[in-house]
mmCIF file of all heavy atoms in Angstrom:
data_model
loop_
_atom_site.group_PDB
_atom_site.id
_atom_site.type_symbol
_atom_site.label_atom_id
_atom_site.label_comp_id
_atom_site.label_asym_id
_atom_site.label_seq_id
_atom_site.Cartn_x
_atom_site.Cartn_y
_atom_site.Cartn_z
ATOM 1 N N CYS A 95 15.378 -38.757 -41.809
ATOM 2 C CA CYS A 95 14.679 -39.496 -40.740
ATOM 3 C C CYS A 95 14.659 -40.989 -41.029
ATOM 4 O O CYS A 95 14.825 -41.815 -40.115
ATOM 5 C CB CYS A 95 13.256 -38.971 -40.580
ATOM 6 S SG CYS A 95 13.150 -37.335 -39.858
ATOM 7 N N GLY A 96 14.462 -41.373 -42.281
ATOM 8 C CA GLY A 96 14.456 -42.789 -42.638
ATOM 9 C C GLY A 96 15.816 -43.444 -42.427
ATOM 10 O O GLY A 96 15.906 -44.571 -41.926
ATOM 11 N N ILE A 97 16.884 -42.751 -42.806
ATOM 12 C CA ILE A 97 18.226 -43.315 -42.607
ATOM 13 C C ILE A 97 18.553 -43.424 -41.126
ATOM 14 O O ILE A 97 19.122 -44.431 -40.673
ATOM 15 C CB ILE A 97 19.279 -42.457 -43.351
ATOM 16 C CG1 ILE A 97 19.096 -42.629 -44.862
ATOM 17 C CG2 ILE A 97 20.690 -42.830 -42.947
ATOM 18 C CD1 ILE A 97 19.942 -41.710 -45.705
ATOM 19 N N VAL A 98 18.183 -42.409 -40.349
ATOM 20 C CA VAL A 98 18.402 -42.476 -38.895
ATOM 21 C C VAL A 98 17.648 -43.657 -38.308
ATOM 22 O O VAL A 98 18.176 -44.393 -37.456
ATOM 23 C CB VAL A 98 17.985 -41.145 -38.227
ATOM 24 C CG1 VAL A 98 17.882 -41.290 -36.720
ATOM 25 C CG2 VAL A 98 18.962 -40.047 -38.588
ATOM 26 N N ALA A 99 16.414 -43.892 -38.750
ATOM 27 C CA ALA A 99 15.625 -45.021 -38.238
ATOM 28 C C ALA A 99 16.266 -46.351 -38.602
ATOM 29 O O ALA A 99 16.316 -47.275 -37.778
ATOM 30 C CB ALA A 99 14.201 -44.950 -38.788
ATOM 31 N N ALA A 100 16.772 -46.478 -39.823
ATOM 32 C CA ALA A 100 17.359 -47.748 -40.255
ATOM 33 C C ALA A 100 18.696 -48.005 -39.566
ATOM 34 O O ALA A 100 19.018 -49.158 -39.239
ATOM 35 C CB ALA A 100 17.540 -47.744 -41.773
ATOM 36 N N VAL A 101 19.473 -46.942 -39.329
ATOM 37 C CA VAL A 101 20.799 -47.139 -38.715
ATOM 38 C C VAL A 101 20.685 -47.348 -37.213
ATOM 39 O O VAL A 101 21.396 -48.187 -36.631
ATOM 40 C CB VAL A 101 21.698 -45.925 -39.047
ATOM 41 C CG1 VAL A 101 22.986 -45.973 -38.251
ATOM 42 C CG2 VAL A 101 22.000 -45.871 -40.531
ATOM 43 N N LEU A 102 19.799 -46.635 -36.553
ATOM 44 C CA LEU A 102 19.693 -46.705 -35.093
ATOM 45 C C LEU A 102 18.535 -47.608 -34.649
ATOM 46 O O LEU A 102 17.856 -47.305 -33.669
ATOM 47 C CB LEU A 102 19.509 -45.291 -34.524
ATOM 48 C CG LEU A 102 20.636 -44.296 -34.795
ATOM 49 C CD1 LEU A 102 20.303 -42.943 -34.208
ATOM 50 C CD2 LEU A 102 21.957 -44.805 -34.244
ATOM 51 N N PHE A 103 18.335 -48.728 -35.343
ATOM 52 C CA PHE A 103 17.205 -49.590 -34.985
ATOM 53 C C PHE A 103 17.386 -50.238 -33.622
ATOM 54 O O PHE A 103 16.413 -50.671 -32.998
ATOM 55 C CB PHE A 103 16.962 -50.658 -36.056
ATOM 56 C CG PHE A 103 17.987 -51.738 -36.111
ATOM 57 C CD1 PHE A 103 17.817 -52.922 -35.400
ATOM 58 C CD2 PHE A 103 19.136 -51.587 -36.871
ATOM 59 C CE1 PHE A 103 18.756 -53.918 -35.454
ATOM 60 C CE2 PHE A 103 20.073 -52.572 -36.927
ATOM 61 C CZ PHE A 103 19.896 -53.755 -36.217
ATOM 62 N N LEU A 104 18.627 -50.311 -33.106
ATOM 63 C CA LEU A 104 18.825 -50.876 -31.778
ATOM 64 C C LEU A 104 18.275 -49.956 -30.692
ATOM 65 O O LEU A 104 17.923 -50.426 -29.605
ATOM 66 C CB LEU A 104 20.316 -51.147 -31.524
ATOM 67 C CG LEU A 104 20.927 -52.236 -32.415
ATOM 68 C CD1 LEU A 104 22.413 -52.361 -32.141
ATOM 69 C CD2 LEU A 104 20.231 -53.570 -32.207
ATOM 70 N N LEU A 105 18.196 -48.676 -30.964
ATOM 71 C CA LEU A 105 17.516 -47.740 -30.070
ATOM 72 C C LEU A 105 16.068 -47.655 -30.567
ATOM 73 O O LEU A 105 15.641 -46.692 -31.176
ATOM 74 C CB LEU A 105 18.204 -46.364 -30.118
ATOM 75 C CG LEU A 105 19.688 -46.349 -29.754
ATOM 76 C CD1 LEU A 105 20.286 -44.994 -30.040
ATOM 77 C CD2 LEU A 105 19.872 -46.723 -28.296
ATOM 78 N N TRP A 106 15.303 -48.711 -30.292
ATOM 79 C CA TRP A 106 14.008 -48.913 -30.923
ATOM 80 C C TRP A 106 13.022 -47.769 -30.748
ATOM 81 O O TRP A 106 12.250 -47.502 -31.666
ATOM 82 C CB TRP A 106 13.401 -50.265 -30.491
ATOM 83 C CG TRP A 106 13.209 -50.424 -29.014
ATOM 84 C CD1 TRP A 106 14.095 -50.934 -28.142
ATOM 85 C CD2 TRP A 106 12.069 -50.042 -28.278
ATOM 86 N NE1 TRP A 106 13.593 -50.896 -26.882
ATOM 87 C CE2 TRP A 106 12.329 -50.363 -26.938
ATOM 88 C CE3 TRP A 106 10.842 -49.478 -28.587
ATOM 89 C CZ2 TRP A 106 11.417 -50.115 -25.924
ATOM 90 C CZ3 TRP A 106 9.932 -49.241 -27.591
ATOM 91 C CH2 TRP A 106 10.229 -49.573 -26.261
ATOM 92 N N PRO A 107 12.967 -47.031 -29.604
ATOM 93 C CA PRO A 107 12.004 -45.918 -29.568
ATOM 94 C C PRO A 107 12.352 -44.833 -30.598
ATOM 95 O O PRO A 107 11.462 -44.300 -31.277
ATOM 96 C CB PRO A 107 12.103 -45.359 -28.155
ATOM 97 C CG PRO A 107 12.752 -46.432 -27.342
ATOM 98 C CD PRO A 107 13.588 -47.204 -28.283
ATOM 99 N N ILE A 108 13.647 -44.558 -30.721
ATOM 100 C CA ILE A 108 14.079 -43.558 -31.700
ATOM 101 C C ILE A 108 13.820 -44.066 -33.111
ATOM 102 O O ILE A 108 13.385 -43.311 -33.995
ATOM 103 C CB ILE A 108 15.566 -43.207 -31.490
ATOM 104 C CG1 ILE A 108 15.746 -42.500 -30.145
ATOM 105 C CG2 ILE A 108 16.097 -42.348 -32.626
ATOM 106 C CD1 ILE A 108 17.172 -42.223 -29.767
ATOM 107 N N ALA A 109 14.073 -45.366 -33.346
ATOM 108 C CA ALA A 109 13.883 -45.931 -34.682
ATOM 109 C C ALA A 109 12.420 -45.887 -35.100
ATOM 110 O O ALA A 109 12.115 -45.558 -36.260
ATOM 111 C CB ALA A 109 14.398 -47.368 -34.705
ATOM 112 N N ILE A 110 11.507 -46.180 -34.204
ATOM 113 C CA ILE A 110 10.091 -46.190 -34.564
ATOM 114 C C ILE A 110 9.579 -44.769 -34.829
ATOM 115 O O ILE A 110 8.889 -44.521 -35.814
ATOM 116 C CB ILE A 110 9.267 -46.904 -33.466
ATOM 117 C CG1 ILE A 110 9.633 -48.395 -33.441
ATOM 118 C CG2 ILE A 110 7.771 -46.711 -33.687
ATOM 119 C CD1 ILE A 110 9.020 -49.175 -32.312
#
Side-chain angles (χ1 to χ4, degrees):
C95 289
I97 291 172
V98 166
V101 171
L102 299 179
F103 72 93
L104 294 177
L105 302 172
W106 58 270
I108 294 175
I110 293 173

